[in-house]
Amino acid sequence: MLDPRSEIYPSIEYRPIQPSDLEVLEKIHLSLFPIRYEREFFLNVVNGHGIISWGAVDTSRSDEGRDELIGFVTTRMIAAKDSEIEDLFRYNYSHKDLTLLYILTLGVVDSYRNLGIASSLVREVIKHAASVSNCRGVYLHVISYNQPAINFYKKMLFKLARRLPMFYYIRGQHYDSYLFVYYVNGGRTPCSPLAFLKMLVNKFWSKEEKSIPRWSRCKESTTLLASQNNNKRIISGEDTRCHV
């Protein structure tokens, strides 16, 4: 692995995850995520069974580990009608076969953090989604308290679509989830009279807010849309999803 004290910038390359990555992929997931993924999940990833993935490797390493994974992203292509954001694409019902690329897991080992690897992996995902003509976006869930992940996806220009109340159930406690979307191939947030009205209200509030002393402003200034389905996720440990 990279020596954190080294001033040499590594040469990172990106490739599909392959069967030889199985052991390392499991090891990294175990070290980054407090939950255990089933063996079947990893077998599906390395064999490409319903999962599209990319791995990052440090080709500047002089040892035999130059092709060893130091980062990864796993995704699954799903039908838009089967997603939590199917209603966002009702404006385009002339196409019944629309799809979305869902990010399952994303991670980079500790010693390679802050080198732009996670950003490059997500760009690979976006590029692939854009190459699929009927794909309209990349989306994912982030647990509400994972501020680093929230900041990361906002920086990557993902749009906050909505907040899903009590989406996660972790160690006996419910947590909300934020759902982020990156639109491709003409996908877009639908424009509705309600959305237009909210935009006008927000503009009015912004003008009014300027005349209010800072100390008297409400800390909660954003209202998020609630989910219109009953999908929940029960997890045995903290699912932070993004380790950048």
Side-chain angles (χ1 to χ4, degrees), residues 38-56:
E38 298 292 336
R39 177 77 171 185
E40 182 181 2
F41 168 74
F42 297 108
L43 290 173
N44 287 337
V45 172
V46 300
N47 291 301
H49 292 164
I51 295 180
I52 308 165
S53 61
W54 291 263

Side-chain angles (χ1 to χ4, degrees), residues 207-237:
K207 291 180 179 179
E208 289 295 314
E209 189 181 38
K210 291 180 181 179
S211 63
I212 301 175
R214 179 178 295 273
W215 55 266
S216 65
R217 295 178 188 173
C218 178
K219 292 181 179 180
E220 295 295 333
S221 60
T222 303
T223 300
L224 302 174
L225 298 177
S227 172
Q228 296 182 0
N229 60 55
N230 294 320
N231 289 341
K232 306 293 181 184
R233 183 160 301 172
I234 299 174
I235 306 175
S236 59

Side-chain angles (χ1 to χ4, degrees), residues 6 9 20 41 53 56 58 68 80 107 127 133 178 195 206 208 212 223 239:
S6 174
Y9 197 82
S20 60
F41 168 74
S53 61
D58 180 2
E68 181 178 301
K127 183 169 65 174
S133 61
Y178 292 121
S206 296
E208 289 295 314
I212 301 175
T223 300
D239 184 8

Side-chain angles (χ1 to χ4, degrees), residues 88-89 91-92 98 100 135-137 181-190:
L88 298 183
F89 300 92
Y91 68 88
N92 202 355
L98 296 182
L100 297 167
C135 183
R136 291 297 180 268
V181 186
Y182 187 102
Y183 295 101
V184 299
N185 296 329
R188 56 181 172 81
T189 302

Side-chain angles (χ1 to χ4, degrees), residues 14 17 25 28-29 31-34 37 41-42 45 51-56 70-76 102-110 113 116-126 138-142 146 148-154 156 158 239-244:
Y14 303 90
I17 293 177
L25 184 66
I28 299 177
H29 272 76
S31 66
L32 294 182
F33 302 103
Y37 288 84
F41 168 74
F42 297 108
V45 172
I51 295 180
I52 308 165
S53 61
W54 291 263
I70 50 89
F72 61 85
V73 61
T74 63
T75 69
R76 185 192 303 276
Y102 180 68
I103 295 180
L104 297 165
T105 61
L106 168 66
V108 177
V109 300
D110 289 342
R113 298 279 179 85
I117 296 173
S119 298
S120 294
L121 286 166
V122 171
R123 290 191 192 98
E124 291 292 330
V125 174
I126 293 171
V138 177
Y139 85 106
L140 63 130
H141 296 94
V142 178
N146 191 350
I150 292 170
N151 294 341
F152 170 75
Y153 287 110
K154 285 183 176 179
M156 295 297 297
F158 278 70
D239 184 8
T240 56
R241 291 283 170 192
C242 177
H243 289 259
V244 297

